[in-house]
Amino acid sequence: MTRTSPAAARHTAAVLHGLYRTALLTAPWPLTDNRVQAVRNCAAAHARAASAGDGAEALACELALWDTILHTCANPPLHDAVNHLKPVWQRAHRVHLSPPGVGDTEWSPFLTACAIGDRRRALHHLDHHWQNIDRRLTHPAT
């Protein structure tokens, strides 16, 4: 698939949301200090790329953040499913979503949840993040 319609982008985002949610639910909590630090590093890189208006780099950093969680749960089929969707999501993101703005770089609640081992709060942030993506795909002008 070389072109991604807005509807296909929304469907891909919904599937990725579910896969990342499954990763958070199946990962052993609390996350190790090394995993929390890796998530922090990816979040900081995402914020830098977003502030510079580099949408491709910001997306790569965000995907690396979620990959950190995926590796934690050690579920090869889940990891394979995400890797299968990444190219589709990258095309959809590039075509249908503008570069992230300052508000899209706020990872503090997620980082705090990971640091203190609060899976419920991490899931809440994940859900909020992907709801914002769905809203931006549904209403690109807002």
Side-chain angles (χ1 to χ4, degrees), residues 3 7 10 27 41 48 56 70-71 74 87-88 90 98 101 113 118 123 132 139:
R3 293 185 54 146
R10 286 187 71 214
N41 293 342
R48 284 191 302 276
L70 280 171
H71 290 301
V88 176
Q90 288 167 326
S98 61
D118 189 341
L123 284 166
N132 285 340
H139 308 288

Side-chain angles (χ1 to χ4, degrees), residues 52-130:
D54 188 344
E57 181 65 20
L59 176 62
C61 294
E62 181 181 336
L63 292 174
L65 182 149
W66 298 123
D67 277 349
T68 300
I69 304 296
L70 280 171
H71 290 301
T72 300
C73 68
N75 183 332
L78 183 61
H79 195 267
D80 290 346
V82 169
N83 281 335
H84 180 73
L85 287 174
K86 276 184 187 178
V88 176
W89 181 238
Q90 288 167 326
R91 283 190 303 273
H93 195 274
R94 185 180 66 246
V95 172
H96 299 291
L97 293 174
S98 61
V102 174
D104 296 328
T105 63
E106 181 52 46
W107 290 101
S108 294
F110 185 74
L111 295 174
T112 300
C114 290
I116 65 173
D118 189 341
R119 184 187 328 238
R120 184 188 58 76
R121 283 177 55 190
L123 284 166
H124 176 76
H125 179 76
L126 171 104
D127 292 343
H128 180 72
H129 178 76
W130 285 90

Side-chain angles (χ1 to χ4, degrees), residues 11-35:
H11 291 245
T12 302
V15 172
L16 281 172
H17 174 202
L19 292 171
Y20 291 136
R21 193 168 216 292
T22 300
L24 277 176
L25 287 168
T26 59
W29 282 75
L31 300 178
T32 65
D33 290 341
N34 289 341
R35 293 290 183 196

